[in-house]
Amino acid sequence: MIVVTLTARMQRHLYIKTGIISIAGIFLLFLPQIIPGSNYFLQILTTCFLYATLALSWNLLAYSGKISLGHAAFFGVGAYGSSLVALNFDINPLLSIWCGGCFAAILACTGGFLFSRLKGAYFALTTLALVEIPKMIIENWETLTRGSLGLLNIPPLRIASTIAQSYLPTYFINLGVLMLVFLFLTLIFSSRWGWAINALRQDEKVSFSLGINATFYHVTTMTVSGFIAGVCGAIYAHSVGIIEPSMVFSIHYSALPMVMSLFGGRSTIVGPIVGAFILFSIDQLAFQAILPIGHQILYGLAIMVTILYMPDGIMGLANREHLWHYSRQKK
Amino acid sequence: MALLKAEKITCILEERAVLNSVSFTLDEGEILGIIGPNGAGKTMLLNVISGFVRVSEGSIHFNRMEITHKPPYRLSRLGIKRTFQIPRPLKEQTVIENVLLAYVMAGRKLGKLNAVVEKVNSILEQVMLIDKRDILAADLTLSEQRRLELARTLAGNPRLLLLDEVGAGLSPAMITYIQDLLEKLNKSGVTIILVDHFLNLSVQLAHRVIALDNGKIIAEGLPQKVLDSPRVREAYLG
């Protein structure tokens, strides 16, 4: 895969992005040493990393022009896949989370093939229905998955020399996975593949005329997106310890990455991360205290404000080139 | 040698034959003009050749290979490049990025990056867009968008160029310029099909002209001869 960042504009974007995120990553890596002991903020950050990764996976698919309403399918399959592998074969959760990702990728690849011709709302509705298939199978395959009783005693993620009950291993693993996914996507977005899916989003017909194989790129994008979402689900399962179908296949995990990506700015790579950090922090630190039951109203508000006042999200506002572009159009 | 050979292509959309048993051949290095009144099937013929619309009957051969039901991206990789009647630039990308995309997706080895940029710059110079290099494609005028379409096809290393109304909406001076450019391209070995409603390019450029009306070929031959034929006059003037 050849990395193509030819114009000055793209090079600048790439340097700024990787620079900022690397610095932030290193800072976050040492943050637990600065804030000692069990800290509420670190726990929130841990979940932020997970949601940011999930939002990035949703955003990858959106970058290729397909809106998914069913990322919970991949999340849930990843969670169940990894838990079952870890429980039945006694494998270290650090390895089994990747197995979970692979199961989700298989589902995503199949879905990608079947839905590759669907566009827009039709694709979105189909993905919404896709969630039900693995959910039904898992609910009814009681000998393997214990059905709606769920799985218990899922082994927690552990790195050598850390205490089992601490959330710190999860903190580092989530951060690591987020950084890994971010760097991988940055690389992809500036490669031939990224160019192709970017063109597909903007104009499918033109993409054909340039020689872009739409089916191939849609299927691979969906597979990678599903894999990442699956890994997120797996990490979630191991950090919670108990899962049941209605929990991991809930619409929550389809809607959340979408809201976060839209709020932060889709079709940018930093956007979903920013969205996840801002929204989840506000949710946990402010709304949870004010409205203990209905605190998720925040996500509904966020999506309304985004669509009405900043269709390109926060990163769209921050991007000066875009502002300049719009002001010129208005004249 | 015939580069493109269309045999009895019929295309039925919504129970109407938009192309009715159209046959023609195109030699390597030729410029073919396709003229006809509105709704004659000119653009449909390009859509069929470039694979965007499937034919109901008949066959198309390119370079002695059957391409009748091949998807458009395959045909594009074979070197059949097209422009669109209404320009479709990728609006979120700058001019040079649009052309680079076409260059990268043509599937050749890229080699040194500086050389690629130089090549793309020279293409932009050819279509006089070098000043607009770093402007978003959405901000271009119609004339510039048409030239961007042309630049994109040039970047794709074409063997057969399908140009849909490439001269429409351009100033006379620009049309003369495009004419020279296409002539140069043709001399370098690119075969061209020109769809031309207003006849401003095909009369001067084309070696041969096909006149379409209601999806049928009504006249074929040298440009002036076709224009003078009573059936073509009747089709245009009603």
Side-chain angles (χ1 to χ4, degrees), chain A residues 237-266:
Chain A
H238 289 289
S239 56
V240 174
I242 306 164
I243 53 170
E244 53 176 286
S246 60
M247 188 166 87
V248 287
F249 288 104
S250 104
I251 195 160
H252 187 69
Y253 295 110
S254 300
L256 221 56
M258 180 171 70
V259 177
M260 286 164 173
S261 291
L262 290 177
F263 180 76
R266 70 197 161 110

Short mmCIF file of all heavy atoms in Angstrom, two decimals, chain A residues 237-266:
data_model
loop_
_atom_site.label_atom_id
_atom_site.label_comp_id
_atom_site.label_asym_id
_atom_site.label_seq_id
_atom_site.Cartn_x
_atom_site.Cartn_y
_atom_site.Cartn_z
N ALA A 237 -16.52 -6.47 27.15
CA ALA A 237 -16.96 -7.69 27.83
C ALA A 237 -15.97 -8.07 28.94
O ALA A 237 -16.37 -8.40 30.06
CB ALA A 237 -17.09 -8.83 26.83
N HIS A 238 -14.68 -7.99 28.63
CA HIS A 238 -13.68 -8.40 29.62
C HIS A 238 -13.57 -7.40 30.76
O HIS A 238 -13.22 -7.77 31.88
CB HIS A 238 -12.33 -8.59 28.95
CG HIS A 238 -12.29 -9.81 28.08
ND1 HIS A 238 -12.29 -11.08 28.60
CD2 HIS A 238 -12.30 -9.94 26.74
CE1 HIS A 238 -12.28 -11.96 27.60
NE2 HIS A 238 -12.30 -11.29 26.46
N SER A 239 -13.86 -6.14 30.49
CA SER A 239 -13.75 -5.18 31.59
C SER A 239 -15.00 -5.18 32.46
O SER A 239 -14.93 -4.83 33.64
CB SER A 239 -13.44 -3.78 31.06
OG SER A 239 -14.42 -3.41 30.13
N VAL A 240 -16.14 -5.61 31.92
CA VAL A 240 -17.36 -5.65 32.73
C VAL A 240 -17.48 -6.99 33.45
O VAL A 240 -17.88 -7.04 34.61
CB VAL A 240 -18.61 -5.39 31.84
CG1 VAL A 240 -19.88 -5.58 32.65
CG2 VAL A 240 -18.56 -3.99 31.28
N GLY A 241 -17.13 -8.07 32.74
CA GLY A 241 -17.15 -9.39 33.37
C GLY A 241 -18.44 -10.16 33.20
O GLY A 241 -18.47 -11.37 33.30
N ILE A 242 -19.55 -9.47 32.94
CA ILE A 242 -20.84 -10.12 32.73
C ILE A 242 -21.46 -9.52 31.47
O ILE A 242 -21.52 -8.28 31.35
CB ILE A 242 -21.80 -9.84 33.90
CG1 ILE A 242 -21.16 -10.23 35.22
CG2 ILE A 242 -23.12 -10.55 33.70
CD1 ILE A 242 -21.88 -9.63 36.42
N ILE A 243 -21.91 -10.38 30.55
CA ILE A 243 -22.64 -9.82 29.41
C ILE A 243 -23.89 -10.65 29.14
O ILE A 243 -23.96 -11.83 29.47
CB ILE A 243 -21.78 -9.77 28.12
CG1 ILE A 243 -21.18 -11.14 27.80
CG2 ILE A 243 -20.71 -8.72 28.20
CD1 ILE A 243 -20.53 -11.20 26.44
N GLU A 244 -24.88 -10.00 28.57
CA GLU A 244 -26.07 -10.72 28.10
C GLU A 244 -26.50 -10.09 26.77
O GLU A 244 -26.14 -8.94 26.48
CB GLU A 244 -27.18 -10.65 29.13
CG GLU A 244 -27.50 -9.24 29.58
CD GLU A 244 -28.68 -9.19 30.53
OE1 GLU A 244 -29.79 -9.37 30.01
OE2 GLU A 244 -28.49 -8.98 31.73
N PRO A 245 -27.23 -10.84 25.95
CA PRO A 245 -27.52 -10.36 24.59
C PRO A 245 -28.15 -8.97 24.56
O PRO A 245 -27.72 -8.11 23.79
CB PRO A 245 -28.49 -11.41 24.04
CG PRO A 245 -28.21 -12.63 24.81
CD PRO A 245 -27.77 -12.19 26.17
N SER A 246 -29.16 -8.74 25.41
CA SER A 246 -29.85 -7.45 25.30
C SER A 246 -28.95 -6.29 25.70
O SER A 246 -29.24 -5.15 25.37
CB SER A 246 -31.11 -7.47 26.18
OG SER A 246 -30.72 -7.68 27.51
N MET A 247 -27.86 -6.61 26.38
CA MET A 247 -26.94 -5.55 26.79
C MET A 247 -25.99 -5.17 25.66
O MET A 247 -25.92 -4.01 25.27
CB MET A 247 -26.15 -6.04 28.00
CG MET A 247 -25.30 -5.01 28.66
SD MET A 247 -24.77 -5.62 30.27
CE MET A 247 -23.31 -6.52 29.85
N VAL A 248 -25.27 -6.17 25.13
CA VAL A 248 -24.24 -5.83 24.14
C VAL A 248 -24.82 -5.58 22.75
O VAL A 248 -24.17 -4.96 21.92
CB VAL A 248 -23.15 -6.91 24.05
CG1 VAL A 248 -22.26 -6.86 25.26
CG2 VAL A 248 -23.73 -8.28 23.84
N PHE A 249 -26.05 -6.06 22.50
CA PHE A 249 -26.65 -5.78 21.19
C PHE A 249 -27.64 -4.61 21.30
O PHE A 249 -28.48 -4.44 20.43
CB PHE A 249 -27.37 -7.01 20.65
CG PHE A 249 -26.43 -8.09 20.19
CD1 PHE A 249 -26.21 -9.22 20.96
CD2 PHE A 249 -25.73 -7.94 19.01
CE1 PHE A 249 -25.33 -10.20 20.53
CE2 PHE A 249 -24.85 -8.92 18.58
CZ PHE A 249 -24.64 -10.05 19.35
N SER A 250 -27.56 -3.84 22.37
CA SER A 250 -28.53 -2.76 22.54
C SER A 250 -28.24 -1.63 21.55
O SER A 250 -27.11 -1.44 21.10
CB SER A 250 -28.49 -2.23 23.97
OG SER A 250 -27.83 -1.01 24.02
N ILE A 251 -29.28 -0.90 21.23
CA ILE A 251 -29.17 0.17 20.23
C ILE A 251 -28.22 1.28 20.70
O ILE A 251 -27.70 2.05 19.91
CB ILE A 251 -30.57 0.74 19.90
CG1 ILE A 251 -30.50 1.56 18.61
CG2 ILE A 251 -31.10 1.58 21.05
CD1 ILE A 251 -31.82 1.75 17.96
N HIS A 252 -27.98 1.28 21.99
CA HIS A 252 -27.02 2.19 22.61
C HIS A 252 -25.69 2.18 21.86
O HIS A 252 -25.12 3.23 21.54
CB HIS A 252 -26.82 1.72 24.05
CG HIS A 252 -25.98 2.64 24.87
ND1 HIS A 252 -26.41 3.88 25.25
CD2 HIS A 252 -24.75 2.47 25.39
CE1 HIS A 252 -25.47 4.46 25.97
NE2 HIS A 252 -24.45 3.62 26.08
N TYR A 253 -25.19 0.97 21.54
CA TYR A 253 -23.88 0.86 20.92
C TYR A 253 -23.93 1.11 19.42
O TYR A 253 -22.90 1.15 18.76
CB TYR A 253 -23.26 -0.50 21.23
CG TYR A 253 -23.00 -0.63 22.71
CD1 TYR A 253 -23.75 -1.49 23.50
CD2 TYR A 253 -22.05 0.18 23.31
CE1 TYR A 253 -23.54 -1.56 24.86
CE2 TYR A 253 -21.84 0.11 24.68
CZ TYR A 253 -22.58 -0.75 25.44
OH TYR A 253 -22.37 -0.80 26.78
N SER A 254 -25.14 1.23 18.86
CA SER A 254 -25.24 1.67 17.47
C SER A 254 -25.31 3.18 17.41
O SER A 254 -24.72 3.81 16.53
CB SER A 254 -26.49 1.10 16.80
OG SER A 254 -26.47 -0.28 16.80
N ALA A 255 -26.04 3.76 18.37
CA ALA A 255 -26.30 5.20 18.33
C ALA A 255 -25.11 6.00 18.82
O ALA A 255 -24.77 7.03 18.25
CB ALA A 255 -27.53 5.53 19.15
N LEU A 256 -24.47 5.50 19.89
CA LEU A 256 -23.40 6.28 20.52
C LEU A 256 -22.27 6.65 19.57
O LEU A 256 -21.93 7.84 19.46
CB LEU A 256 -22.87 5.50 21.73
CG LEU A 256 -22.58 6.34 22.95
CD1 LEU A 256 -23.80 7.11 23.39
CD2 LEU A 256 -22.10 5.46 24.07
N PRO A 257 -21.68 5.67 18.85
CA PRO A 257 -20.60 6.06 17.95
C PRO A 257 -21.05 7.03 16.88
O PRO A 257 -20.30 7.92 16.47
CB PRO A 257 -20.14 4.74 17.33
CG PRO A 257 -21.22 3.78 17.59
CD PRO A 257 -21.89 4.22 18.84
N MET A 258 -22.34 6.90 16.45
CA MET A 258 -22.84 7.79 15.42
C MET A 258 -22.94 9.22 15.96
O MET A 258 -22.47 10.16 15.33
CB MET A 258 -24.21 7.31 14.96
CG MET A 258 -24.81 8.18 13.90
SD MET A 258 -26.27 7.43 13.20
CE MET A 258 -27.39 7.57 14.55
N VAL A 259 -23.54 9.36 17.14
CA VAL A 259 -23.69 10.69 17.73
C VAL A 259 -22.32 11.32 17.95
O VAL A 259 -22.08 12.49 17.63
CB VAL A 259 -24.45 10.61 19.06
CG1 VAL A 259 -24.54 11.98 19.70
CG2 VAL A 259 -25.84 10.05 18.84
N MET A 260 -21.39 10.53 18.48
CA MET A 260 -20.07 11.07 18.77
C MET A 260 -19.34 11.50 17.50
O MET A 260 -18.70 12.54 17.46
CB MET A 260 -19.24 10.04 19.53
CG MET A 260 -19.69 9.90 20.97
SD MET A 260 -19.06 8.42 21.73
CE MET A 260 -19.58 8.72 23.42
N SER A 261 -19.46 10.68 16.45
CA SER A 261 -18.79 11.04 15.20
C SER A 261 -19.39 12.29 14.59
O SER A 261 -18.68 13.19 14.15
CB SER A 261 -18.91 9.90 14.19
OG SER A 261 -18.16 8.82 14.60
N LEU A 262 -20.73 12.36 14.57
CA LEU A 262 -21.38 13.52 13.97
C LEU A 262 -21.04 14.77 14.75
O LEU A 262 -20.75 15.82 14.18
CB LEU A 262 -22.90 13.33 13.93
CG LEU A 262 -23.43 12.29 12.96
CD1 LEU A 262 -24.93 12.17 13.08
CD2 LEU A 262 -23.05 12.64 11.54
N PHE A 263 -21.06 14.65 16.08
CA PHE A 263 -20.79 15.81 16.94
C PHE A 263 -19.35 16.28 16.75
O PHE A 263 -19.08 17.46 16.61
CB PHE A 263 -21.06 15.43 18.40
CG PHE A 263 -20.82 16.54 19.36
CD1 PHE A 263 -21.72 17.58 19.48
CD2 PHE A 263 -19.69 16.56 20.16
CE1 PHE A 263 -21.51 18.62 20.36
CE2 PHE A 263 -19.46 17.59 21.05
CZ PHE A 263 -20.37 18.62 21.16
N GLY A 264 -18.43 15.34 16.75
CA GLY A 264 -17.02 15.70 16.61
C GLY A 264 -16.67 16.13 15.20
O GLY A 264 -15.79 16.96 15.01
N GLY A 265 -17.36 15.58 14.23
CA GLY A 265 -17.07 15.92 12.84
C GLY A 265 -16.75 14.68 12.05
O GLY A 265 -15.67 14.14 12.16
N ARG A 266 -17.73 14.25 11.24
CA ARG A 266 -17.43 13.07 10.43
C ARG A 266 -16.59 13.49 9.24
O ARG A 266 -16.42 14.65 8.96
CB ARG A 266 -18.71 12.38 9.99
CG ARG A 266 -19.49 13.14 8.98
CD ARG A 266 -20.90 12.62 8.93
NE ARG A 266 -21.73 13.61 8.30
CZ ARG A 266 -22.26 13.47 7.09
NH1 ARG A 266 -22.05 12.38 6.40
NH2 ARG A 266 -22.99 14.42 6.58
#
